[in-house]
Amino acid sequence: MQAREIKPGIYWVGGIDWNLRNFHGYSTDKGSTYNAYLIVDEKIALIDTVKANLTQELISRIRKVVDPARIDYVISNHIEMDHSGALPAIMELTPHATLVTSPNGDKGLHAHYPKEACRWKFKVVQQGDTISLGKRTLQFLPIPMVHWPDSMLTYVPEEKLLMPNDAFGQHLASEFLFDDEIGCSIVREQAAKYYANIVLPYSKSVQTLLTQIQKMKIEFDMIAPSHGVVIRKNVKELVSLYNKWSTHQSDNKVLILYDTMWNSTEKMAETIQLAVEEMNIPCCRTSLTTTHISDVITRVMESRYIFIGSPTLNNQVLPTMASMLSYMQGLRPRNKIGFVFGSYGWGGQAPKLIEESLRALGWELPLPPMAIKYIPTEESLDELRTQVTKILTGAK
Amino acid sequence: MKKYLCNACGYVYDPAEGDPDNGVQPGTAWEDVPHDWLCPVCGVGKDEFSEE
């Protein structure tokens, strides 16, 4: 296992989880990495660790650079177990190291590792606290709720290096180290998916972070996150995307999101697609049978118009749709214009249930839901087209 | 009017600002914030707040 130098004397020593396909319900079809960084100066610091299953990989990469026993500081930017899982093993190997974390990190690490943490030497840092490593300085900025209460950013001003932990991360396992090596479009795609699934509900805190970075005049030309590749080419682009996503701006495009029982709701979805395309507005039609909710939510975040359809099953929405709505209640995509549709046999409760759920998210719903009994007729589909056109008039 | 701090995430409820995005108008004292109101940043309830 090799360590990889990202700046002179600063090494990536993380773990690559090639076969990870499920991250607490997030479909990680590209795997992931848990990034840890080793800074070798007069003093030696390790920034974050890895998930427990890759502990030996981390240790072996560190050994390529230094004997772990020489580490002076272990920085825990985030207590979640994909970054702290290897901490107990690392602290065993680094008998004289001080563990540096935020006030909430201190509480959280004791809760996660009660037996081990009572033996560790903690240094709790606040905003603006620094540790000198010799030529380089570690500057700390707790960033609560980006995305846990304990989240913290570590900054190395001399190297213009930002280590914001999960912020700016991507679930992306790769043999490449940098964004320009793997290709910036996949990094953008996976950063968007990561934001939509992990960071979106904490957008206000992201705004606070971006403002603080400006106010404190933090200059950086490299972002080394805790997942995925290191950003050195498209730093400005990614920061501006974070600004866009955290202010709930989206593109003028339509997402038709639905599931179907006997193809009636699907027929409605197809009709909507044709109507949208005729207006020359970009459009994506996504069935919940074939697309995972963690991919759908990314499209939701990026689209201004969301048209949602479900048939009524046993007086409820389809379970796939119930799951999607519940996911959205947690992730809270904002600033959307919605429209609800679906077929039914009797009762027809689904569209109303969906509408209530979207209202709770504060979405604008300019027209009432459209429900069609059993099989759509040409006339009912014509009416659907008219409704869609009404909503989208002025959208171009 | 007193400000209240979210113990979980550090958000501060300032009565002067209220939380208009979630239906709490500026000028609403902590005591008058609805019982089912949640921290707009991390989502915990009022019982997780303490006086700043």
Side-chain angles (χ1 to χ4, degrees), chain A residues 20 23 26 28 30-35 37 82-83 164-174 176-179 182-195 198-199 223-232 238 242 245:
Chain A
L20 181 81
F23 190 89
Y26 176 146
T28 47
K30 304 275 190 291
S32 194
T33 69
Y34 315 109
N35 297 338
Y37 301 96
D82 50 335
H83 307 295
N165 195 266
D166 280 342
F168 303 103
Q170 330 98 45
H171 279 316
L172 180 56
S174 161
F176 297 111
L177 185 56
F178 293 108
D179 58 344
I182 191 172
C184 292
S185 65
I186 190 173
V187 176
R188 187 206 179 283
E189 175 192 299
Q190 292 302 320
K193 183 171 177 180
Y194 192 91
Y195 192 95
I198 303 279
V199 191
I223 303 176
S226 60
H227 295 289
V229 294
V230 174
I231 312 296
R232 68 177 175 192
L238 195 57
Y242 258 59
W245 297 328

Side-chain angles (χ1 to χ4, degrees), chain A residues 201-205 207 246-248 332-335 358-363, chain B residues 11 13-28 33-34 37-41:
Chain A
Y202 310 113
S203 288
K204 249 188 190 171
S205 306
Q207 274 297 301
S246 62
T247 49
H248 303 285
R332 289 182 274 163
R334 297 278 164 111
N335 199 21
L358 301 185
R359 283 207 192 286
L361 287 170
W363 291 15
Chain B
Y11 165 83
Y13 176 80
D14 180 352
E17 290 176 18
D19 178 20
D21 287 351
N22 296 295
V24 180
Q25 294 313 308
T28 307
V33 173
W37 175 84
L38 302 173
C39 172
V41 176

Side-chain angles (χ1 to χ4, degrees), chain A residues 4 78 86 125 127 131 154 190-191 196 237 269 282 304 323 345-347:
Chain A
R4 301 158 166 188
H78 183 24
V125 288
Q127 177 177 334
I131 289 177
T154 301
Q190 292 302 320
E237 193 209 358
R304 172 93 164 115
S323 162
W346 60 96

